[in-house]
Amino acid sequence: PWFDTLNEGGTGPYPFGVDPAWHGAQNELVYMNSMKMKISVLLGVAQMIVGLLLRFSNAIHQSSPVNFFFECVPMMVFMVCFFGFMDYMILYKWVNAMPNPPSIINSLIAMAMWGEDPNPMLGAELPRVLMATSMLAVPFMLFPKPLIKLWQHKQQISQHSSRGGGGGGGHGHGGHYAPVMDEEACCLVSDEAEEEFDFGEMCIHQVIETIEYVLGTVSHTASYLRLWALSLAHQQLSTVFFGMTILGGMSAPFPLNVISVYFWFAVWFGITLAILLGMDVLECFLHTLRL
C-alpha cells in the first residue's frame, strides 16, 4: 500500500484518521488540541464558502449582475485570499513533512500586519499579494453598488421624462388636455421613483453590510474555535469522570471491586447524562444555532 503500515518513517501508518497510539500518550492533549482546532477552522471556512455559493445562486436567480459582480465576487475573493489561504496552509502542513515547520498563527499575523515572517511556508511575496487582494476586495463591496444603483435610477427618471415629453397635444375635441395629463403622469412617476430610491440610505446599507460581512467572517471563525474548545473540554471531562468513578471502583480489592463497579457505573452514567449530554451539548447547540 501507499501508506506506511509499519510506521517506518513514511507518510503514516494509516491513510485516514488518528492513530490510536496517541491515546494515553504524554503529549496527547497537545496533539489533539492542535488537530481539533485546525479541523474546526476547516469546517468553519467550508460552511462560510457554502453560504457564499448560496448567495451566488440567489444573484443568478434574481438576474442581478450588480449583486453578482460587486457583492458575491468580492466577498468570495476576500474569503479565499485570507481564510482560504489559511486552510491551504493547514492542509499543506499536514501532508508535507518539513524539517522546520512554520507556525501558521505567526504567518497569519505577519500577513495581516504586513510584517516579516521569519519562517514563511510558501514564500514571502505570496501572503502579501493575497492580503493586498483581500483588502482591495473591500472597496469593491462598498462603493460600486450604490453608484450603479444611482446611475440606473437617473436613467429610469430620464426615460420617464422623455416618454412624458414626447406626448404632444392632439387635435379635435379635448385634445388640449393630453399634454397636461402626460406631464402629471410623468411627475407622479418621478416622485414615486425618488421616494423609492434614497442614495444616502443605500450607502449606509452597503456600509453596514460590508462591515458585517468582514467582521462576520472573523466572528464565525471564532465561533467554530469555541466549538473546538467545548470539544476539548468534553474530552477532558469525560476522561476525568471515568477515572474518578469506574476506574476508582475497579482499583478496589477483589471482593469489593465487583460490587463497587455497579455503584460507580450508576454515578458515572448520571454525571454523563447531566453534564456531558445535558449542559455540554446545550452549549454546543447554542453556538451552532448562532452560526
Side-chain angles (χ1 to χ4, degrees):
W2 60 269
F3 51 90
D4 185 13
T5 56
L6 300 178
N7 198 11
E8 296 177 348
T11 56
Y14 303 101
F16 182 78
V18 181
D19 193 339
W22 284 104
H23 181 68
Q26 293 182 355
N27 56 345
E28 175 191 5
L29 181 60
V30 177
Y31 176 77
M32 298 301 294
N33 184 19
S34 176
M35 188 193 69
K36 288 184 177 181
M37 178 181 66
K38 293 173 181 177
I39 289 178
S40 65
V41 171
L42 291 174
L43 294 177
V45 175
Q47 184 179 3
M48 288 189 287
I49 290 178
V50 170
L52 280 179
L53 293 179
L54 293 177
R55 192 170 188 133
F56 271 94
S57 64
N58 290 335
I60 295 174
H61 177 72
Q62 297 171 358
S63 299
S64 177
V66 176
N67 292 337
F68 186 89
F69 290 104
F70 297 105
E71 277 192 351
C72 300
V73 173
M75 287 179 178
M76 183 62 74
V77 170
F78 179 84
M79 178 68 66
V80 172
C81 288
F82 189 80
F83 294 95
F85 180 66
M86 175 180 63
D87 287 356
Y88 180 78
M89 286 195 295
I90 291 174
L91 297 175
Y92 184 85
K93 190 176 179 180
W94 272 350
V95 300
N96 290 278
M98 291 176 282
N100 186 17
S103 174
I104 297 178
I105 296 177
N106 293 337
S107 298
L108 289 176
I109 293 175
M111 176 180 174
M113 301 298 294
W114 293 88
E116 291 291 337
D117 190 359
N119 189 15
M121 182 182 298
L122 300 171
E125 294 299 328
L126 180 61
R128 294 186 177 182
V129 172
L130 294 177
M131 190 63 198
T133 306
S134 62
M135 292 176 63
L136 290 175
V138 176
F140 276 93
M141 285 187 279
L142 184 60
F143 297 112
K145 183 178 177 179
L147 296 176
I148 293 175
K149 291 292 185 180
L150 178 63
W151 177 77
Q152 291 177 349
H153 171 70
K154 290 183 177 180
Q155 291 293 113
Q156 185 179 7
I157 294 297
S158 62
Q159 289 177 2
H160 286 301
S161 300
S162 61
R163 290 176 185 174
H171 296 281
H173 181 70
H176 60 281
Y177 291 105
V180 179
M181 296 298 294
D182 291 337
E183 291 178 1
E184 291 178 355
C186 178
C187 292
L188 290 175
V189 172
S190 61
D191 291 340
E192 291 177 358
E194 290 179 358
E195 291 178 0
E196 291 177 357
F197 182 81
D198 188 356
F199 181 70
E201 183 179 355
M202 174 66 70
C203 292
I204 294 174
H205 173 75
Q206 197 65 23
V207 168
I208 294 174
E209 188 171 359
T210 303
I211 296 175
E212 182 181 2
Y213 173 76
V214 174
L215 296 181
T217 54
V218 182
S219 177
H220 294 334
T221 306
S223 295
Y224 274 92
L225 292 177
R226 293 190 193 103
L227 292 177
W228 148 69
L230 291 175
S231 174
L232 183 63
H234 184 98
Q235 176 188 359
Q236 295 302 309
L237 285 175
S238 61
T239 303
V240 170
F241 292 153
F242 182 78
M244 294 179 63
T245 55
I246 296 180
L247 288 183
M250 294 176 64
S251 62
F254 169 66
L256 185 60
N257 60 358
V258 178
I259 302 174
S260 62
V261 164
Y262 287 95
F263 170 74
W264 286 115
F265 174 80
V267 175
W268 171 82
F269 188 73
I271 293 175
T272 301
L273 287 178
I275 297 179
L276 298 182
L277 297 180
M279 181 182 67
D280 204 9
V281 173
L282 180 61
E283 291 178 358
C284 294
F285 171 75
L286 292 177
H287 283 292
T288 307
L289 186 64
R290 176 189 174 276
L291 291 170

